[in-house]
Amino acid sequence: MKNVRLTIDEMVQRYPDQWLFIVDCEHSTSTELISGVVAVHSPSRDVIKKASAEYKGSAAIRYTGKPPEGRLYLL
C-alpha cells in the first residue's frame, strides 16, 4: 500500500491517534495541507522524529488525535 495519496480526512480515519510523516504533499494556495503520502505512521512521536531526520526533501508531520489536555504541539 505504498505511495497511496490520501486526503487529510482519510489519514485521520485510517490512522487514528497516530503521528504521521507525510511526503509528496499537496497544498492549497494558502499553504494548507490537502493530501499526501503517509511514509511513516506511529503512536510514538519519536519514531516520526527519527524518520524526518533521515529524510531529504519537503514533508509534513501531523498528529491525528487530540493533544492531551493543556498540551499544544507546534509543527
Side-chain angles (χ1 to χ4, degrees), residues 1 13 22 24 31-32 36 40 51 61 66 72 74:
M1 210 155 124
Q13 286 182 340
I22 307 162
D24 193 18
T31 70
E32 181 180 356
V40 181
I61 296 173
K66 293 182 181 180
L72 298 174
L74 300 175

Side-chain angles (χ1 to χ4, degrees), residues 15-31:
Y15 306 107
D17 300 319
Q18 291 196 35
W19 287 94
L20 308 178
F21 182 63
I22 307 162
V23 298
D24 193 18
C25 300
E26 177 187 5
H27 294 90
S28 70
T29 55
S30 64
T31 70

Side-chain angles (χ1 to χ4, degrees), residues 2 19 33 54 63 65 68 71:
K2 293 194 182 245
W19 287 94
L33 183 61
E54 296 172 358
Y63 182 66
R71 186 170 228 180

